Amino acid sequence: MSHFAEIPETTVLLLPGWLNSGAQHWQCLWAQKHGAVLIDQHDWVTPRRGDWVAAFETQLLDLHTRTRRSEKSAPRFAVAAHSLGCHLLAAWLAHSAHADWINAALLVAPPDLNRDDLPPAVARWAPAIETPFPRALQARSRVVGSDNDPFSSELATRALAMRWGVEATLKPNAGHLNADSGLGDWPEGWQQLQQLIDRERVKYGH
């Protein structure tokens, strides 16, 4: 018999980065294989942070309305963000009244916005929002980077994770952790996200 109370069902949301995620990207494969929900943006080519934050908020509210079991049910969402999508989540958490709806976050390959060699569309998001994540979410979040990411150094990735207040892990020779990295549907990443979601059991345990 389980020693834990029933945990509300969690919907996994996918936040792509600049130019969106292609058909062979692990995010698109997660949507197909696991039923995760891809968050859409009106403009993937010249992203504006405020527009992306507003679009995420709007879609989140719509998803809550469509998926909640009752008027009193608490919304539970987990986020798997890639690249600029990580900075989107950080900006949204810093300003949204619904930050407590997110119960886990996997932040993959966030670019270092302080670099001078970033594509202009990405560099325009500087400076990065470095507000610490909500305390409860910090324990259920992880930054996953690579030691040879062309958009961030290992040092910058760890420093950003520290400012957000979350743990960081670095994969060897994984590039930008996208389709070009040969991850396929990246079962390791999906498992890591599930482990972060499972940490919610501490809250519901008895």
Side-chain angles (χ1 to χ4, degrees), residues 137-154:
L137 182 59
Q138 290 180 14
R140 300 191 295 270
S141 298
R142 177 179 299 146
V143 168
V144 179
S146 169
D147 61 5
N148 67 339
D149 188 336
F151 301 110
S152 183
S153 67
E154 179 177 349

Side-chain angles (χ1 to χ4, degrees), residues 42-124:
H42 174 68
D43 188 348
W44 291 106
V45 178
T46 54
R48 296 181 181 274
R49 184 161 60 194
D51 291 347
W52 276 31
V53 167
F56 179 37
E57 176 86 358
T58 297
Q59 291 172 73
L60 189 69
L61 291 170
D62 180 62
L63 282 166
H64 173 44
T65 299
R66 290 190 287 110
T67 60
R68 63 183 174 180
R69 296 177 181 177
S70 69
E71 290 295 327
K72 295 182 179 180
S73 63
R76 310 305 303 166
F77 297 100
V79 169
H82 179 254
S83 194
L84 200 60
C86 301
H87 290 284
L88 165 59
L89 179 63
W92 178 85
L93 287 171
H95 296 98
S96 177
H98 306 297
D100 61 342
W101 289 8
I102 307 300
N103 70 319
L106 188 70
L107 304 122
V108 183
D112 175 9
L113 297 184
N114 293 319
R115 293 173 68 110
D116 58 10
D117 60 348
L118 291 175
V122 176
R124 70 192 301 175

Side-chain angles (χ1 to χ4, degrees), residues 1-2 7 20 77 90 94 114 116 121 147 154 159-160 165 171 176 183:
M1 180 179 295
S2 172
I7 300 173
N20 203 352
F77 297 100
N114 293 319
D116 58 10
D147 61 5
E154 179 177 349
L160 182 60
K171 290 176 63 64
H176 196 45
L183 298 174

Side-chain angles (χ1 to χ4, degrees), residues 10-16 27-28 30-40 56 59-60 62-64 66-67 77-81 190 193:
T10 296
T11 301
V12 175
L13 308 178
L14 306 170
L15 299 184
Q27 287 187 315
C28 289
W30 283 11
Q32 296 169 12
K33 184 174 182 178
H34 303 295
V37 179
L38 277 162
I39 298 299
D40 196 18
F56 179 37
Q59 291 172 73
L60 189 69
D62 180 62
L63 282 166
H64 173 44
R66 290 190 287 110
T67 60
F77 297 100
V79 169
W190 181 258
L193 180 60

